[in-house]
Structures are given as C-alpha cells and as structure tokens.
Amino acid sequence: MFPKYEEVEFPLFIEILKRNGTEPKEVYAVLANRFKLTKQDLDKETKEKEPRNKWENIIRFAVKELRKKGLVDKSYGVWRLTDKGYDIKNGKAQYPITENLTVAIEVLNKCLHAGVPEAQSREIANLTIEEIAILLPQRNTI
C-alpha cells in the first residue's frame, strides 16, 4: 500500500538534506525501501490518459509541496534545499509540523517514556535518526 504524498514529504526532505541535493531518481528506491514498498507496488502506474509510475508520481507531489513551503528548489533536474531549508538543517527554524509528524512524535515520546529502547521506539514511530534530529534537535541523536 502506498503512503500518501503528505507522509513522503518529510522523509524526502531528509534525503535531500543528507545528499546536499539530489536527482529524483536517486531517492525513489531509498524512499520505497523506507516505506516497505514491494516490486509489485513499484510497477504500478497511475490511471491517467498517459500513465505514469505511481510511486514516482507520489514523490513528485511531495516535492511540489516542499517547493510550495519554500524548503526545496529544483534547478537543472536536481532538488536542493533553499535557504529556508538550510535554516531548518542548522536549527535556526523548525520544520512545519504536519498531523502525521505530530502523531509520530507522540508515539516516539510515549515509547521513550515507557522505557522502550530508543532504536525500537524509532521503529515503532516510523522515524529515522535523521528525522528525529530535525524534529527534536535538543535530543542530539545524530
């Protein structure tokens, strides 16, 4: 089952941040793995007049939203962080928290307060170390 593009936005932002810019094709497989997509999922196409790869289409919608938020720019086929995106990376600004991220942070905090080991808590909350470092910089997890 595919994630919604809203669920892909933040992990995509992190991948662009980690790579200091990226071509779209470089993150398709990484994010597919992150969301545990199968080969059958990756072969699906949209039901449009001119079908497109469904997974790549979801990622295109996610980057479009990141661009609307002013966090990512695209030039010469490469996605890069904007100054606003770098402010988040450097702890000078906070990533715009969405409902999905609020739920993930709550799950993470509940697990940690219940004594669940951090690695297991991250897995339960479906957050990576890099994502936690951006969302909760005071934890210094990277």
Side-chain angles (χ1 to χ4, degrees):
M1 181 151 164
F2 288 102
K4 297 176 183 173
Y5 74 87
E6 296 95 340
E7 297 168 323
V8 175
E9 277 181 52
F10 187 59
L12 176 58
F13 175 81
I14 295 296
E15 289 303 320
I16 295 168
L17 179 152
K18 286 180 1 186
R19 289 169 164 66
N20 200 23
T22 186
E23 291 182 21
K25 64 182 178 185
E26 294 176 356
V27 294
Y28 292 144
V30 172
L31 290 173
N33 188 47
R34 164 87 163 70
F35 287 99
K36 298 172 178 54
L37 298 180
T38 66
K39 170 126 174 58
Q40 292 82 5
D41 291 332
L42 297 176
D43 289 339
K44 290 186 180 175
E45 294 186 336
T46 60
K47 297 178 181 179
E48 298 172 354
K49 191 173 187 176
E50 293 183 35
R52 294 180 164 190
N53 179 281
K54 188 167 183 156
W55 176 236
E56 293 174 10
N57 207 43
I58 290 170
I59 292 184
R60 279 192 289 276
F61 273 107
V63 85
K64 182 178 177 183
E65 288 302 310
L66 289 172
R67 290 175 72 187
K68 280 185 189 176
K69 292 174 182 174
L71 301 175
V72 171
D73 194 14
K74 181 181 178 184
S75 60
Y76 302 105
V78 176
W79 296 332
R80 290 188 170 80
L81 296 183
T82 61
D83 289 342
K84 186 175 178 181
Y86 276 107
D87 283 348
I88 292 169
K89 176 183 179 181
N90 297 324
K92 295 178 183 175
Q94 185 175 8
Y95 187 87
I97 302 296
T98 63
E99 184 178 336
N100 295 329
L101 292 176
T102 300
V103 170
I105 293 168
E106 288 173 3
V107 168
L108 175 69
N109 284 327
K110 284 179 184 177
C111 288
L112 292 172
H113 287 125
V116 176
E118 186 171 340
Q120 188 178 356
S121 297
R122 286 194 321 263
E123 188 174 322
I124 292 168
N126 198 24
L127 292 168
T128 66
I129 291 173
E130 294 89 353
E131 292 167 354
I132 293 169
I134 293 295
L135 293 172
L136 308 170
Q138 70 277 10
R139 288 190 44 85
N140 296 321
T141 54
I142 290 186

